């Protein structure tokens, strides 16, 4: 009977009357005309009451309703249906076309197809779609409807309700956007959120952590993933867990190491908050794990760099001490100028190495710094020929002193003391060793010194601790120097004033 009344309301009403009449016949016989009228009034009143309750439920629920009589094309909307479509109440004559006019163009084909499928399949129409208002605003609606059919099975009527779900949709979109931003922030910051139940001995391995430290599928299981914790940090993790259980801390930060599938060590920093139950007992740690491997490596490089700088500074001080104590000159001003020149040479080499973070010194740049005051590349007096070569930091300062002594001598007595003089510096790398030729031509006639001063001693001895050597040829046409120096850094000698 229920199906008959839904598909054919009149048939349903007649059936209800027959059923009532049968009951009366079984008890008191045929009804009188007054009784029949009373029954009809009773049924009509029940129907009106049911319709009124339905109307109130629809209004209280904030629902729009429609009643579409397919054969006649007549459509009935309640007030909220007008408003959800972007119409003023009574602005248009309700119709299928008026509803279609406000359906978003991108949703039109799918929505109409679903209505037709519900009609042909005798199923409930249930769909979410957008209404496009005249002001360009978009409003989401969730609709449910049902078709009714006549005795021949033809659809004659569709009744349904719709709800405005714009706020819910916007909330979902905002949530999705927020989650996307969070995900980007976590990935950019190389962070992985986690929850560590203090009932477990070790932190968990989740998908975010697997992404963070590049755990492959073979380490996807929890126990296999936990096996990647560095064994030397097992005691630290035990102590951290016990500290969380025993202490009154609110936040807990610590670092430990994790091993990738390739046995690469990754440092993880944990920043967490201790979550307690209603009795104040610590239950879990909630926070993020950050990959701080690069930061750790930078700190280690900085520590080594500071040690290197400290060692270089110590050597420099001994070199300066030697220059001060051993250098000789006929007068104070000459002594001062010689000493300042050598110290400035050391300073230039030091600056060059500092700019490269003590990773090495470029030979051509080192030569350009020493010979710059004499016009490198400007007047043709100085020619630099050779491939790019990076000197170990340990050797660059010693070579800078050698080049400074050669340049100072050339400027005073050799090719750089006259306009016609030419200095050619040629170098190459051969079997892991720098071979540098210093050739002066066109200067005053050369006379070999009768004794070796501090400059000559410095030339011969400064490179010896690093396996280098200098050979000087005092030819009359000009001084020539051959310098050989290994390009492989060896351990520094202990500095000595002697």
């Amino acid at each position: 009977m229920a199906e008959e009344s839904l598909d054919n309301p009149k048939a349903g009403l007649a059936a209800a009357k027959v059923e009532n009449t049968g009951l009366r016949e079984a008890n008191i016989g045929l009804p009188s005309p007054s009784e029949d009228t009373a029954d009809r009034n009773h049924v009509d009143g029940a129907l009106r009451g049911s319709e009124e309750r339905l109307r109130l439920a629809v209004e209280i629920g904030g629902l729009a309703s429609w009643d579409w009589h397919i054969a006649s094309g007549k459509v009935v909307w309640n007030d909220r249906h007008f408003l959800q479509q972007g119409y003023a109440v009574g602005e248009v004559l309700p119709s299928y076309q008026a509803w279609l006019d406000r359906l978003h163009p991108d949703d039109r084909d799918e929505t109409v197809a679903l209505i037709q499928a519900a009609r042909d399949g005798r199923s409930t129409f249930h769909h979410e779609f957008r209404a496009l208002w005249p002001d360009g605003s978009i409003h989401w609606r969730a609709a449910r409807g049902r078709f009714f059919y006549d005795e021949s099975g033809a659809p004659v009527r569709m009744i349904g309700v719709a709800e405005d779900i714009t706020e819910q949709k916007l909330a979902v979109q905002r949530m999705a956007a927020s989650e996307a931003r969070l995900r980007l922030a976590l990935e950019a910051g190389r962070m992985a959120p986690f929850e560590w139940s203090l009932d477990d001995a070790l932190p968990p391995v989740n998908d975010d952590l697997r992404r963070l430290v590049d755990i492959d599928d073979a380490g996807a299981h929890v126990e296999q993933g936990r096996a990647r914790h560095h064994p030397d940090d097992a005691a630290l993790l035990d102590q951290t867990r016990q500290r969380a259980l025993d202490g009154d801390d609110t936040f807990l930060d610590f670092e430990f190491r994790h091993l990738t599938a390739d046995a690469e060590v990754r440092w993880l920093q944990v920043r967490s908050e201790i979550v307690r139950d209603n009795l104040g007992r610590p239950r879990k740690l909630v926070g993020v794990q950050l990959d701080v491997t690069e930061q750790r490596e930078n700190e280690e490089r900085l520590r080594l760099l500071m040690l290197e700088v400290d060692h270089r500074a110590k050597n420099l001080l001994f070199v300066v001490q030697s220059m001060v104590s051993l250098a000789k000159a006929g007068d104070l001003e000459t002594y001062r100028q010689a000493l300042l020149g050598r110290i400035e040479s050391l300073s230039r080499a030091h600056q060059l190495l500092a700019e490269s973070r003590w990773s090495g010194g470029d030979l051509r740049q080192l030569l350009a710094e020493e010979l710059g005051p004499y016009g490198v590349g400007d007047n043709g007096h100085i020619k630099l020929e050779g491939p790019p070569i990076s000197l170990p930091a340990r050797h660059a300062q010693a070579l800078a002193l050698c080049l400074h002594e050669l340049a100072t001598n050339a400027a005073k007595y050799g090719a750089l003391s006259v306009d016609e003089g030419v200095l050619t510096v040629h170098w190459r790398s051969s079997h892991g060793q720098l071979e540098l030729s210093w050739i002066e031509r066109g200067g005053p006639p050369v006379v070999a010194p009768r004794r070796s001063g501090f400059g000559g001693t410095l030339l011969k001895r400064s490179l010896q601790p690093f396996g280098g050597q200098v050979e000087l040829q005092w030819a009359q046409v000009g001084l020539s120097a051959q310098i050989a120096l290994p390009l492989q850094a060896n351990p520094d000698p202990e500095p000595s004033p002697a």
Side-chain angles (χ1 to χ4, degrees), residues 52-114:
E52 180 63 18
R53 286 192 297 272
L54 175 61
R55 185 187 64 80
L56 289 173
V58 168
E59 290 183 359
I60 293 173
L63 301 175
S65 65
W66 77 86
D67 187 351
W68 176 23
H69 294 263
I70 299 173
S72 65
K74 179 182 178 182
V75 179
V76 178
W77 291 348
N78 69 349
D79 291 350
R80 194 170 296 275
H81 197 289
F82 282 94
L83 300 176
Q84 287 186 11
Q85 293 282 108
Y87 293 114
V89 176
E91 178 182 347
V92 296
L93 182 66
S95 66
Y96 175 82
Q97 186 61 44
W99 167 79
L100 196 63
D101 288 343
R102 291 294 166 87
L103 187 60
H104 195 288
D106 294 343
D107 296 347
R108 186 169 298 170
D109 292 344
E110 180 184 13
T111 305
V112 171
L114 289 174

Side-chain angles (χ1 to χ4, degrees), residues 409-430:
N409 183 77
K412 287 183 178 181
Y413 314 111
L416 299 182
S417 65
V418 296
D419 293 340
E420 297 80 10
V422 175
L423 167 64
T424 301
V425 183
H426 175 80
W427 67 89
R428 67 174 184 169
S429 173
S430 177

Side-chain angles (χ1 to χ4, degrees), residues 321-338:
Q321 180 181 348
S322 299
M323 290 190 302
V324 172
S325 60
L326 299 179
K328 299 177 181 180
D331 57 79
L332 181 61
E333 180 60 23
T334 302
Y335 171 81
R336 188 179 73 86
Q337 291 296 331

